[in-house]
Amino acid sequence: HKNIVRLLDTVVSKGNISKNFYIVLEYIEYDLADILEKNHKFNDEAIKSIMYQILLGINYLHRTKNVIHRDIKASNILISKKG
């Protein structure tokens, strides 16, 4: 889905006591938390677009993949240079 970050790979490291699991995602330039920390002000159109894209992505996860995203927060909302 165009509003979901692509999963490129998964990596499991083999330690002596425990294993670490890593996911490799496509690179997206910004996250919403960093943008907000820099006191960037979004206009109404940008806010509407971001919210719409978030809802489209969540709807896709819930209805198509039966996945519930349990960690929706500003640092997990990624924004590319294209918006």
Side-chain angles (χ1 to χ4, degrees), residues 10-44:
T10 57
V11 178
V12 178
S13 68
K14 299 175 183 176
N16 293 337
I17 298 172
S18 64
K19 295 181 181 180
N20 293 316
F21 181 80
Y22 301 94
I23 57 174
V24 181
L25 304 172
E26 71 176 303
Y27 177 74
I28 304 293
E29 294 88 354
Y30 309 103
D31 68 67
L32 186 56
D34 285 341
I35 293 171
L36 293 173
E37 279 182 13
K38 295 174 183 171
N39 293 320
H40 177 80
K41 302 294 182 197
F42 290 102
N43 62 32
D44 290 344

Side-chain angles (χ1 to χ4, degrees), residues 11 32 34 48-49 68 70 75 81:
V11 178
L32 186 56
D34 285 341
K48 182 178 176 181
S49 175
I68 297 174
R70 294 179 46 192
S75 62
K81 289 182 180 179

Side-chain angles (χ1 to χ4, degrees), residues 26-82:
E26 71 176 303
Y27 177 74
I28 304 293
E29 294 88 354
Y30 309 103
D31 68 67
L32 186 56
D34 285 341
I35 293 171
L36 293 173
E37 279 182 13
K38 295 174 183 171
N39 293 320
H40 177 80
K41 302 294 182 197
F42 290 102
N43 62 32
D44 290 344
E45 184 179 326
I47 294 169
K48 182 178 176 181
S49 175
I50 291 167
M51 287 304 302
Y52 184 68
Q53 291 178 63
I54 291 169
L55 293 172
L56 284 176
I58 292 171
N59 184 59
Y60 172 79
L61 287 174
H62 289 193
R63 294 189 181 267
T64 307
K65 300 296 181 182
N66 294 319
V67 170
I68 297 174
H69 193 301
R70 294 179 46 192
D71 196 23
I72 298 171
K73 57 187 176 185
S75 62
N76 287 339
I77 306 299
L78 305 178
I79 301 176
S80 71
K81 289 182 180 179
K82 298 177 186 175

